[in-house]
Amino acid sequence: MANPSLLKQWVSFVRIKRNKWSGPTHHSVLCSKHFTQDCYPIKYRILEDSGHVVSKKSLVKDAIPTIQASSILSPPRPFTGCCEPGNPTPGPSSTPHIPKKRRMAFTKRENIRTLFQHEELEDNAAIAQQSETACGGAMDDSLSAPTVHEIPRRKMENAGCQVNLRKPYKSERVQTTPMLTHQICQTPVVKTASIGIQCQLLCAAAPSATSFPSDSSSSDSESQTPSIEEKDSSFHGTDTETDENESITSEDDRDNDQERKFIVYESNLLSLFESCPSCSGPTVGHVMQIWGSMVKVEQECGFCQHRRTWKSQPMIGSIPAGNLLLSCGILFSGSLPTKSIRLLKLVNIMAMSYDTFLRHQRHYMQPAILQVWQSHRELYVQHVVESGKAVCLGGDGRADTPGHSAKYGSYNMMDLEEGIVVDVQLVQSNEVKSSYHMEKEGLRRSVDYFNEAGVAIGELVTDRHVQIIKWVRENMPETNHYFDVWHVAKGLKKKLTALASEKECNELRPWIRSISNHIYWVAASTPAQDGELRWQKWLSVMNHIQNVHEGHGALFPRCAHGELVGRDRQKQWLTAGTKVCSKLEELVSSRQMKKDVPKLSSGHQTSSLEAYHSVVNQFAPKMYGFSYNGIMCRFILAALHYNENGQRAQATTRDGKACYRIDFPKHKKGEHTVRKVHVDCTYGYVKTLISIVEQLASSRTREVLPNVPPALCHEYLHPPKDEAVAQMKSRFQKI
């Protein structure tokens, strides 16, 4: 720990319970339960309040443990073991006996054995009851001949059929009929009874057709034979029994997004319908309907007239679950619907149409995205208002196309201390004078939102946009406005590169990187309030490159480095009075730099916003056009993804070593960059969005999206299409 005073407080806290503790080592750790919620960044509380599970957390810089073990430990479990008179009583340090976990095969055998014993007891009880009824003779006529349905046991079959008529209990997602067999003989076990009872069962009226949990039997069969599952209140029918207009209500059905899906060929699917589930006779399945990715198969037996309709997917409201989840996967992953649907069609995989995707997006997915984003913003505002502190925000704009002809412009605000995106504003070009004014309008809307919510903005870090500088100076006098160092250094580096390309200025090229790094050092080593000291430090670079390291100014008399030896002396010093020195001095001491250097941000930068913009490019590429609500929801998806994965932990090897990789960026022209390798991304926000989409689809409510600005061409004259086609002329048309 770099802070000695903070380390001393941690050690003192540990020694409250451990007096003989020698001190921390490289492998010492402290449980997270010893820290209060204020010791963690606010983004973890926002994610937990939204339903996400945060597995790994990081502490704030000044976090101190305050919760002792007595308040976090659960009460000890009572010792239930018995001690023999001659054996010593186990002490407090003894490890309690933990029973060994049973193997799955053993558990299955025990369950089958218990089931058989229970059925035998039921059969014996039923046989005894029927014997007493036959011997008594004084009972009511309606009870003298019990039917098959009055005996809750396995139905009997004759030797020719060999079909188990009892409908077994099975999982909703298993589309095959499980058969219980004996452990040794591996053949179906048939329960037998006495000869008298066997005769009565054979004389009872047998049902004409037996319905299975995955079947939709005819109405006559259902009226004649009540199934065992209908008597069981805990039984839930399979997904295939759900009607097209029946919504899903059970918890298992709502979790169908986590269920595995497979690609099945049509021939392999129809092979499952080659035998009748009632009499085992040969049948043929027919595809009755293809509804996007869902298929309906009808099967009818010519021997026992058994008929059923099977569906490949459950229904969410009146929508097939596969179609809705496929639409969610396309949008929530940032994919393009046209390419995704074309991919499936190229390999002849059935999928919904592009119009169906747009309908799902408009009625269910976009309302879910806006609902989750509104919840995130409200939770952030609530935590900030409760803390009572002023926030440090960073803002930057992004246009949907390069140049000054963009249709949409977004302005994104990020809490630089927490590292999360807190607001996204979208502006259409016809809402302002031109596309150049969209960035200032986005900042104004974002600031108005925080002012109405009661959030105090203490610092604002932006680029050097002229309109933003003026607007902040006039409308936010209590906010400290700083410039991002990266934007200033980027513009300076471009000018230095252009100067080094001129004649007799090639000597400047080795110093470009050093001058660019110097401006970062000026901002980081000097507080923002000491503007004059910053300026003198910045001007000292002109003396330094001429091998003059003293006499820079009253506040900064000499360079902060020591004696230059080795690699620091490899660059050639510039000569005073040359063309390159004269032009470089004009650039370093220009009026623009005089304004920018004192307002450089020393504590926070907008590099995180640039990283967020790279995530936006994955969800909303600039080479494709989107609608107003479409691009707004894709910006929000990028913000949700960044907030969850923007500060992932660094990956480690099995030995605990941190992982790195070496890249060769194009802008460095052959020089390498060492980057950290982070753990894989998580997608908890997608699960939240899918659950809300399923709720909206199940309730069959179509949310109304907010009003959007009019189209750019709404003021133009729209001629009839027939007239426009008739007047169309081609330049290559022969006269």
Side-chain angles (χ1 to χ4, degrees):
M1 188 176 292
N3 192 345
S5 61
L6 191 62
L7 176 61
K8 184 177 180 180
Q9 298 183 42
W10 281 50
V11 173
S12 301
F13 174 80
V14 175
R15 286 179 176 172
I16 294 176
K17 296 293 185 179
R18 300 175 62 183
N19 298 329
K20 298 182 180 180
W21 187 48
S22 59
T25 63
H26 180 70
H27 303 283
S28 298
V29 295
L30 195 61
C31 180
S32 61
K33 295 183 179 180
H34 293 287
F35 299 90
T36 60
Q37 291 187 353
D38 298 336
C39 297
Y40 299 97
I42 192 175
K43 68 173 186 177
Y44 295 138
R45 281 175 278 171
I46 295 176
L47 293 175
E48 290 175 351
D49 293 342
S50 302
H52 300 306
V53 178
V54 182
S55 57
K56 295 184 178 180
K57 297 181 179 180
S58 59
L59 298 170
V60 297
K61 295 182 180 180
D62 55 348
I64 300 175
T66 55
I67 303 177
Q68 292 296 335
S70 58
S71 59
I72 63 175
L73 293 177
S74 58
R77 297 175 58 184
F79 179 74
T80 57
C82 298
C83 300
E84 297 296 335
N87 297 336
T89 304
S93 60
S94 300
T95 304
H97 174 69
I98 300 176
K100 184 177 179 181
K101 185 177 180 180
R102 294 184 176 182
R103 296 178 59 186
M104 184 61 67
F106 175 79
T107 305
K108 288 183 178 180
R109 291 195 301 268
E110 290 298 316
N111 292 341
I112 295 175
R113 183 180 60 81
T114 305
L115 179 62
F116 287 162
Q117 291 180 355
H118 180 70
E119 290 179 350
E120 290 177 357
L121 294 176
E122 289 183 343
D123 292 342
N124 295 335
I127 294 172
Q129 182 180 0
Q130 292 178 2
S131 300
E132 295 177 358
T133 304
C135 296
M139 300 181 64
D140 187 58
D141 296 338
S142 60
L143 301 177
S144 58
T147 62
V148 178
H149 312 299
E150 295 177 355
I151 304 176
R153 63 186 183 93
R154 186 186 298 269
K155 296 180 175 61
M156 308 304 298
E157 63 268 12
N158 54 30
C161 182
Q162 294 298 325
V163 176
N164 187 5
L165 297 181
R166 180 181 182 271
K167 293 195 292 185
Y169 295 94
K170 63 179 181 179
S171 173
E172 300 180 7
R173 296 177 176 83
V174 178
Q175 297 298 330
T176 57
T177 304
M179 180 177 294
L180 298 179
T181 59
H182 196 269
Q183 303 178 27
I184 301 177
C185 65
Q186 298 296 326
T187 56
V189 179
V190 180
K191 300 295 180 179
T192 58
S194 62
I195 298 178
I197 301 301
Q198 184 75 19
C199 296
Q200 292 181 5
L201 290 176
L202 293 176
C203 295
S208 60
T210 305
S211 60
F212 286 80
S214 59
D215 303 341
S216 299
S217 304
S218 60
S219 58
D220 297 337
S221 301
E222 293 178 354
S223 61
Q224 293 178 7
T225 307
S227 61
I228 300 179
E229 285 79 2
E230 294 175 353
K231 300 179 182 180
D232 190 357
S233 59
S234 63
F235 175 77
H236 300 284
T238 59
D239 298 336
T240 56
E241 288 182 336
T242 308
D243 190 74
E244 296 181 7
N245 298 324
E246 182 181 354
S247 61
I248 296 176
T249 56
S250 65
E251 293 295 334
D252 295 338
D253 292 334
R254 289 191 183 276
D255 199 28
N256 56 65
D257 57 303
Q258 301 298 325
E259 183 181 350
R260 295 188 298 178
K261 292 87 176 172
F262 301 94
I263 298 177
V264 182
Y265 279 58
E266 182 178 5
S267 57
N268 293 5
L269 175 64
L270 295 180
S271 64
L272 302 176
F273 300 91
E274 294 179 352
S275 61
C276 177
S278 178
C279 66
S280 298
T283 59
V284 178
H286 302 280
V287 176
M288 301 302 298
Q289 183 182 7
I290 298 177
W291 191 352
S293 61
M294 189 187 79
V295 60
K296 288 185 179 180
V297 179
E298 182 174 328
Q299 182 185 19
E300 183 177 3
C301 180
F303 296 94
C304 64
Q305 305 303 322
H306 174 72
R307 177 182 297 177
R308 68 165 177 168
T309 301
W310 179 85
K311 293 187 293 185
S312 62
Q313 299 173 10
M315 304 292 291
I316 302 179
S318 58
I319 305 174
N323 294 349
L324 187 61
L325 294 179
L326 183 59
S327 299
C328 292
I330 293 175
L331 179 59
F332 297 159
S333 64
S335 304
L336 298 175
T338 52
K339 285 189 174 183
S340 301
I341 296 175
R342 188 188 312 135
L343 181 147
L344 297 175
K345 288 185 177 180
L346 289 177
V347 292
N348 206 22
I349 296 177
M350 299 295 101
M352 73 285 179
S353 63
Y354 178 69
D355 294 337
T356 302
F357 170 83
L358 294 180
R359 185 168 62 253
H360 294 168
Q361 177 182 247
R362 181 171 58 254
H363 296 311
Y364 308 112
M365 292 183 288
Q366 289 180 349
I369 294 173
L370 296 177
Q371 179 180 343
V372 172
W373 179 242
Q374 183 64 22
S375 175
H376 272 248
R377 292 203 303 175
E378 291 176 355
L379 290 173
Y380 171 78
V381 170
Q382 178 183 355
H383 288 300
V384 171
V385 172
E386 291 177 355
S387 64
K389 65 177 183 178
V391 296
C392 177
L393 300 180
D396 195 11
R398 178 190 181 273
D400 65 330
T401 55
H404 297 280
S405 60
K407 179 181 179 181
Y408 300 114
S410 65
Y411 200 83
N412 311 285
M413 297 287 277
M414 174 178 289
D415 190 327
L416 299 180
E417 295 180 349
E418 301 294 339
I420 57 176
V421 181
V422 295
D423 189 40
V424 177
Q425 296 292 338
L426 183 63
V427 183
Q428 192 167 284
S429 59
N430 60 351
E431 297 182 271
V432 291
K433 295 181 181 180
S434 64
S435 59
Y436 181 75
H437 297 76
M438 292 191 298
E439 188 167 352
K440 187 191 76 171
E441 178 65 18
L443 173 65
R444 185 192 64 80
R445 295 181 182 180
S446 185
V447 172
D448 291 344
Y449 167 75
F450 287 113
N451 290 338
E452 293 176 359
V455 177
I457 303 177
E459 295 182 9
L460 180 64
V461 182
T462 65
D463 55 5
R464 298 177 295 172
H465 196 283
V466 179
Q467 292 182 345
I468 289 180
I469 295 174
K470 180 181 178 182
W471 188 87
V472 173
R473 183 176 65 249
E474 295 177 352
N475 298 274
M476 304 176 66
E478 299 180 356
T479 302
N480 297 322
H481 187 201
Y482 300 113
F483 299 150
D484 177 52
V485 183
W486 180 82
H487 287 88
V488 178
K490 178 183 177 182
L492 176 64
K493 190 174 182 179
K494 288 183 178 180
K495 296 178 182 179
L496 294 175
T497 304
L499 178 59
S501 302
E502 296 183 6
K503 187 178 181 180
E504 299 179 0
C505 297
N506 193 33
E507 299 176 357
L508 179 62
R509 193 172 300 278
W511 291 97
I512 292 178
R513 183 175 181 181
S514 300
I515 297 174
S516 178
N517 292 338
H518 181 70
I519 195 171
Y520 281 96
W521 175 79
V522 170
S525 62
T526 313
Q529 294 77 11
D530 298 337
E532 186 61 26
L533 177 58
R534 280 189 172 186
W535 180 245
Q536 292 186 13
K537 283 185 175 182
W538 168 244
L539 292 179
S540 67
V541 71
M542 283 302 304
N543 295 333
H544 177 84
I545 61 179
Q546 300 177 44
N547 199 16
V548 178
H549 308 289
E550 294 182 353
H552 305 317
L555 299 177
F556 189 67
R558 60 176 301 162
C559 294
H561 60 77
E563 183 180 359
L564 300 177
V565 294
R567 294 184 58 185
D568 297 333
R569 290 296 305 274
Q570 290 181 358
K571 299 186 185 70
Q572 183 180 359
W573 303 111
L574 301 184
T575 305
T578 59
K579 177 182 177 181
V580 61
C581 275
S582 300
K583 289 198 172 186
L584 179 60
E585 186 175 1
E586 294 177 0
L587 183 60
V588 170
S589 60
S590 63
R591 183 181 177 184
Q592 183 68 39
M593 297 301 296
K594 179 66 175 178
K595 293 180 179 180
D596 296 343
V597 171
K599 298 192 67 175
L600 293 176
S601 175
S602 59
H604 303 91
Q605 311 300 328
T606 60
S607 56
S608 299
L609 268 174
E610 300 299 332
Y612 163 68
H613 286 167
S614 65
V615 178
V616 172
N617 291 334
Q618 305 298 324
F619 285 86
K622 290 189 176 183
M623 62 183 300
Y624 296 98
F626 301 93
S627 63
Y628 186 90
N629 288 326
I631 196 170
M632 180 63 184
C633 290
R634 287 179 177 265
F635 285 153
I636 294 175
L637 286 173
L640 295 175
H641 181 83
Y642 182 85
N643 290 348
E644 185 172 340
N645 300 282
Q647 297 181 356
R648 303 194 310 275
Q650 186 176 2
T652 57
T653 61
R654 294 181 179 179
D655 300 334
K657 297 181 180 180
C659 296
Y660 296 90
R661 74 172 188 270
I662 298 178
D663 294 339
F664 293 87
K666 181 180 179 181
H667 68 276
K668 287 199 172 184
K669 300 179 181 179
E671 297 184 8
H672 67 274
T673 299
V674 179
R675 304 182 186 275
K676 296 180 179 179
V677 178
H678 297 88
V679 298
D680 295 337
C681 295
T682 58
Y683 302 92
Y685 67 98
V686 175
K687 186 175 182 180
T688 303
L689 290 171
I690 291 179
S691 63
I692 296 178
V693 168
E694 292 180 349
Q695 293 175 6
L696 295 176
S698 300
S699 60
R700 304 181 187 179
T701 58
R702 295 185 175 183
E703 298 290 334
V704 179
L705 297 174
N707 296 328
V708 300
L712 300 183
C713 59
H714 79 286
E715 297 179 354
Y716 303 149
L717 178 63
H718 293 262
K721 183 183 292 186
D722 297 338
E723 297 180 5
V725 172
Q727 296 176 2
M728 182 182 65
K729 295 181 180 180
S730 174
R731 295 185 178 92
F732 305 97
Q733 184 177 1
K734 295 182 179 180
I735 301 177

